[in-house]
Amino acid sequence: MMMVSSKTFSSLQFFTLFYLFTVAFASTEEAIALLKWKATFKNQNNSLLASWTPSSNTCEDWNGIVCFNGRVNRLNITNSRVIGNLYAFPFSSLPFLENLNLSMNNFSGTIPPEISNLTNLVYLDLNSNQISGTIPQQIGSLAKLQILRIFDNHLNGSIPEEIGYLRSLTKLSLGRNFLTGSIPASFGNLNNLSFLLLHNNQLSGSIPEEIGYLRSLTKLSLGMNFLTGSIPASLGNLSNLSFLYLYDNHFSSSIPREIGYLRSLTDLHLGNNSLTGSIPASLGNLSNLSGLYLYNNNLSGSIPLEIGHLRSLSILHLSNNSLNGSIPASLGKLKNLSILILFYNHLSGTIPEEIGNLRSLTILALGRNFLSGSIPASLGNLNNLSSMYLNDNNLKGKVPQCLGNISGLQLLMMSHNNLSGELPSSISNLTSLRILNLGRNNLGGAIPQCFGNIRSLQIFDMQNNKLSGTLPTNFSIGNSLISLNLHGNELEGRIPRSLSNCKKLQVIDLGDNHLNDTFPMWLGALTELRVLRLTSNKLHGPIRSSGTEIMFPDLRIIDLSNNAFSKDLSTSMFQHLKGMRTIDQTMKLPSYEGNGNYLDSVVVVSKGLKLEVVRIWSLYTVIDLSNNKFEGHIPGVLGDLIAIRVLNLSHNRLQGHIPPSLGSLSVVESLDLSFNQLSGEIPQQLASLTSLEFLNLSHNYLQGCIPQGPQFHTFMRNSYEGNDGLRGFPVSKGCGNDPVSETNYTAALEDQERNSEFFNDFWKAALMGYGSGLCIGLSIIYFLISTGNLRWLARIIEELEHKTIMRRRKKQRGQKNYRRRNNRF
């Protein structure tokens, strides 16, 4: 017995030693191959792979290596900061490798076709690298592969149809690449597939009908491609589908009613396509749906009442369509709804009282529709609401006092309606309010003084209402106000000094009111102020410099027009306008927290017309001091403000010469100095203003030759009228001392003469003194008179008169030139 046991023990010992020897040998071969691959990495000092050394045990010591029976079975170096490629990877030396995870590194180059040697591979993850080139078709020979993840790389070319041969595949993720071509129909063979993620590529063509065969599919993400055609009705067969993302494509036609069969669906995202027709009532069967996104399509018809059956729904986003009819009261049953976005549609009727039952609602966006009636008081029950958009509708009545109960409200947009009554003082209870926009309504009464205490408020827009009384005088220290727009009201009194506490102010628009004050030079200490509009008030007196070093350093638009400011223009103030001294095309627009829809807008007078500048005022620089009582000279320092696009000093009492330095305003588009008492010549430097589109120097005392240049040739006579001493094109008198001007003027007159040839020939035909010609001519004239179309006749007579004058002038110039030549001899 002892002998048998001894022999048995010796045999076991032998086989154990043999096995260990074999295992050690195999692991050494794999280790050498992996070390050769590591030697190609560009960052050899990578601490995360410091354990990969010849002296250490591959299976026990190497980071990311897991062995089975002594052979490398798993290689996982995800997020190890490796910089390298796959060209030297030992594909043929790792026959037992089942799991390969190289994700979230910096691998570049292409995927070698030798990857097909990993015949036992079950899991392949190369996501979030810099891998480029095409997906090798040889990947289709990895018959055991269950998970293939190569998303977030730089892959291009088409998806190999051979991937459709991987019958064991359960998850396929190729999103966030640059893949082109169509989705292979062979994917219909992947019966075990649960995830198909191809989003964020450049795929085109239609969705293959065969995708509807993938009964195991739970997530289908094809968003952000160039897919076209209709959504296949066969997708209604995917009974296990929970996520369907087809957004940002070019799908057309209607939404298949079969989508309503997908009872497991939790997210349906079809936004940003060209879908038409109505919303299928069958969507009301999707009892597990939490997110329904149909925005930015061409959907029409009414919102189905059945949507109110989706008791799990938390997000309903139907904006930017052509939906009509009323908002279904049944939406008030969606107790879990947190986001309701219906703006940019054609919805009408009143806002249902039942919306006030949605106690979980955080965003209510009903703006830009045709909603009417009053704002339901029940909206005051929405205690979790952070944003309310009711703007651009036909709402009337008062602003409900109960809105002050929504303590977490950050954004309240009700502009462009017909709201009336006074501002409820309860709004001041909203201590989180950032944006308050009630502009363009019929609100009256005074602004409650307590509004100045809302420290969180960034935007206060009440423009174009009927507010009266004085401005709040208690703007608190440390408040967050960025934009204050009270333009177009009936406010009186003075501009409150407490505005100087609003250190973040960028926009102040108090224009078109009845404010009676002097210029608030103390606002110059607001270093971030970019827009100051005080136009059309009763402001008066001189603009005196405060003598401080900082004065309006970032100002881009200053509009003091239509007031009674007097005395000389402040040279020192212009010297401090540093924001107008450089042309900055990269300037950032203001950002208002919790908002992506508010647009600052100001109205400026440019090129003789009122222009609304919307959110580009940081790049649009304007000085408008017109219609005041300013005296003295135009400061030459204005020429240093090279970012000016509009300069309007018209209708004042300015004297002296036009500064030649204005020729440095290289981007100026509109220059209006009309109705002053300016004298002297127009500086030749102005001819270099190639961006100038509008010029008005009329009604001054200017004289001499009009400069000639590309832009000056485009200006009409009315740009100079009321200056009897001016000569040259386009006024009637030539500039005889300037041969170039004389030539240009003559050329222009000859062009006008050529343009009148048709009318001259027509007149000749009409008055030809030969028989029938005379009858025809008189008949044409009779026809013009009898039909009342005297404009043609008047134009013909005018052209004839013009031609006669032209001939006389040419004859006079010919006589003058003849006398000059005779005098020389």
Side-chain angles (χ1 to χ4, degrees), residues 766-816:
L767 298 181
M768 192 174 296
Y770 296 98
S772 60
L774 178 60
C775 294
I776 292 171
L778 293 174
S779 298
I780 292 173
I781 295 173
Y782 172 76
F783 173 75
L784 292 174
I785 295 173
S786 63
T787 57
N789 193 1
L790 295 177
R791 293 181 179 176
W792 280 90
L793 183 60
R795 190 172 177 185
I796 292 168
I797 295 172
E798 184 181 345
E799 290 292 338
L800 180 63
E801 181 183 6
H802 176 73
K803 186 171 179 65
T804 303
I805 293 172
M806 296 277 288
R807 284 176 174 170
R808 287 178 181 173
R809 287 177 180 171
K810 289 178 72 175
K811 184 176 180 180
Q812 290 173 358
R813 287 199 300 272
Q815 291 174 350
K816 287 180 182 179

Side-chain angles (χ1 to χ4, degrees), residues 539-747:
L539 304 177
H540 54 84
I543 296 179
R544 301 292 188 194
S545 172
S546 62
T548 60
E549 293 184 5
I550 299 177
M551 193 189 308
F552 302 109
D554 206 22
L555 203 62
R556 294 298 193 280
I557 294 178
I558 180 169
D559 185 354
L560 309 180
S561 62
N562 296 290
N563 281 288
F565 290 116
S566 57
K567 303 297 183 181
D568 293 354
L569 294 175
S570 174
T571 300
S572 61
M573 187 181 79
F574 293 131
Q575 288 174 334
H576 283 83
L577 300 179
K578 295 180 180 179
M580 299 188 185
R581 290 176 176 266
T582 56
I583 302 172
D584 185 1
Q585 299 292 343
T586 62
M587 183 177 297
K588 294 182 179 179
L589 296 171
S591 60
Y592 307 116
E593 292 182 43
N595 162 70
N597 293 285
Y598 181 80
L599 298 176
D600 273 310
S601 65
V602 295
V603 176
V604 299
V605 177
S606 175
K607 305 168 190 176
L609 301 171
K610 285 189 175 181
L611 170 68
E612 185 175 14
V613 180
V614 180
R615 216 171 190 182
I616 60 168
W617 45 258
S618 56
L619 304 177
Y620 203 86
T621 307
V622 177
I623 295 179
D624 191 345
L625 308 180
S626 62
N627 289 284
N628 279 285
K629 299 177 181 179
F630 288 115
E631 303 171 354
H633 294 73
I634 298 174
V637 71
L638 278 173
D640 296 336
L641 309 181
I642 60 172
I644 292 178
R645 294 184 182 272
V646 176
L647 177 59
N648 191 347
L649 306 179
S650 67
H651 294 85
N652 280 287
R653 301 169 184 174
L654 299 172
Q655 302 173 344
H657 293 66
I658 299 173
S661 61
L662 296 188
S664 300
L665 305 180
S666 58
V667 296
V668 69
E669 299 172 8
S670 177
L671 177 60
D672 193 344
L673 306 179
S674 63
F675 290 93
N676 279 288
Q677 300 168 18
L678 300 172
S679 57
E681 297 187 350
I682 302 173
Q684 185 64 37
Q685 289 85 343
L686 298 189
S688 63
L689 300 177
T690 55
S691 297
L692 193 62
E693 297 179 14
F694 176 85
L695 176 67
N696 193 351
L697 304 178
S698 65
H699 300 284
N700 280 286
Y701 302 111
L702 300 171
Q703 57 187 0
C705 294
I706 296 173
Q708 299 302 302
Q711 293 303 111
F712 271 74
H713 288 160
T714 67
F715 301 135
M716 305 299 288
R717 186 178 302 180
N718 57 5
S719 294
Y720 309 101
E721 64 185 3
N723 293 281
D724 295 336
L726 285 178
R727 303 186 305 279
F729 181 80
V731 299
S732 57
K733 296 181 180 179
C735 197
N737 296 329
D738 183 358
V740 176
S741 176
E742 180 76 13
T743 302
N744 291 335
Y745 180 72
T746 302

Side-chain angles (χ1 to χ4, degrees), residues 483-509:
S483 177
L484 175 63
N485 193 336
L486 300 175
H487 184 99
N489 282 285
E490 299 171 6
L491 298 170
E492 301 174 338
R494 307 186 70 177
I495 301 171
R497 290 288 298 233
S498 62
L499 277 178
S500 60
N501 294 330
C502 307
K503 301 300 184 182
K504 298 180 181 180
L505 261 176
Q506 297 183 19
V507 179
I508 298 178
D509 190 346

Side-chain angles (χ1 to χ4, degrees), residues 11 38 51 184:
S11 299
K38 180 193 174 188
S51 59

